[in-house]
Amino acid sequence: LAKTTQPISMDSYEGQEVNITCSHNNIATNDYITWYQQFPSQGPRFIIQGYKTKVTNEVASLFIPADRKSSTLSLPRVSLSDTAVYYCLVANDYKLSFGAGTTVTVRA
Amino acid sequence: ETGVTQTPRHLVMGMTNKKSLKCEQHLGHNAMYWYKQSAKKPLELMFVYSLEERVENNSVPSRFSPECPNSSHLFLHLHTLQPEDSALYLCASSQESAAGGSYEQYFGPGTRLTVT
């Protein structure tokens, strides 16, 4: 299983862009990279998934360099409601390894 | 009901009790998961069922016993637990495809378990 490493916490202000980088040095060829968001007392919620290069959806972008040893989740123009824990997951089928999570705190 | 539901939401049990956690998914998915989330620790995958067959069992103690009677329901039977088993137990589901890959998982709200 690929081990993932994320920063423990990050602080930001409303309207700013937040970038969270996850390191996964021993990622396997068939592994995908997925990011989840979790609020207190709730289960994680899917944000975005990618294999290589860049993926964008309505809430975030995911940047994956050519060597795939890291990935960066980008949250544009965050609001107070984006305060949550963000998890990086590297997985192929049912071989799953969640990171410890990054607590993002957005301040007014 | 929509999405993934879990009951009960909170459970307090003694070390000699037997209890069960229930998960139900209303998404038509064909894979279901149990996770354990302890304070200050990453999510730990416990069991995976795909098409009602167990496909992953991550060295979980035998005091945890999963059951998947059909693709919509998943149970976690608990007996003679230890205080260190106190945690949030999360259920998730996903749609497996023949192409493989990593699947978008939909999580339930979890059951907060306290073992006294």
Side-chain angles (χ1 to χ4, degrees):
Chain A
L1 294 178
K3 185 179 183 303
T4 58
T5 304
Q6 308 173 229
I8 294 173
S9 63
M10 298 181 73
D11 287 344
S12 184
Y13 290 91
E14 284 189 293
Q16 290 189 335
E17 178 181 81
V18 171
N19 296 306
I20 310 170
T21 296
C22 179
S23 297
H24 27 79
N25 290 322
N26 59 338
I27 188 169
T29 302
N30 296 331
D31 285 343
Y32 283 73
I33 300 157
T34 312
W35 285 82
Y36 287 83
Q37 175 192 55
Q38 187 176 26
F39 297 112
S41 302
Q42 294 185 26
R45 184 173 69 102
F46 174 89
I47 300 174
I48 197 166
Q49 181 181 91
Y51 183 78
K52 60 181 179 180
T53 63
K54 176 184 173 182
V55 180
T56 297
N57 62 22
E58 62 276 8
V59 299
S61 294
L62 178 59
F63 299 91
I64 306 170
D67 65 6
R68 302 197 335 121
K69 292 184 183 299
S70 66
S71 59
T72 298
L73 173 71
S74 181
L75 305 171
R77 298 179 298 282
V78 294
S79 63
L80 296 176
S81 63
D82 293 315
T83 293
V85 180
Y86 292 82
Y87 292 97
C88 166
L89 168 65
V90 173
N92 175 37
D93 285 338
Y94 307 116
K95 306 297 182 185
L96 307 173
S97 175
F98 272 91
T102 298
T103 299
V104 173
T105 303
V106 180
R107 306 181 194 281
Chain B
E1 293 269 23
T2 58
V4 180
T5 58
Q6 292 186 241
T7 53
R9 295 293 309 276
H10 300 272
L11 178 63
V12 179
M13 60 185 288
M15 289 190 284
T16 58
N17 291 158
K18 288 185 180 181
K19 296 286 185 183
S20 296
L21 310 185
K22 179 183 176 183
C23 175
E24 184 173 0
Q25 59 96 1
H26 309 268
L27 301 165
H29 289 165
N30 55 17
M32 296 187 77
Y33 310 70
W34 277 118
Y35 286 89
K36 176 183 178 183
Q37 187 172 36
S38 305
K40 310 297 183 187
K41 284 189 174 181
L43 280 151
E44 301 173 53
L45 180 63
M46 301 175 73
F47 303 104
V48 182
Y49 278 82
S50 173
L51 301 172
E52 300 153 43
E53 296 288 327
R54 192 188 309 179
V55 296
E56 200 69 28
N57 178 350
N58 285 345
S59 303
V60 178
S62 60
R63 56 186 184 270
F64 296 92
S65 175
E67 178 190 1
C68 187
N70 55 61
S71 60
S72 298
H73 294 85
L74 185 65
F75 295 89
L76 187 62
H77 303 299
L78 316 171
H79 65 97
T80 58
L81 295 191
Q82 304 298 312
E84 59 265 28
D85 296 322
S86 298
L88 181 68
Y89 288 85
L90 290 158
C91 174
S93 70
S94 68
Q95 182 60 31
E96 176 182 286
S97 74
S102 178
Y103 314 117
E104 178 179 344
Q105 296 178 60
Y106 290 76
F107 285 81
T111 294
R112 175 69 62 186
L113 173 66
T114 303
V115 181
T116 60

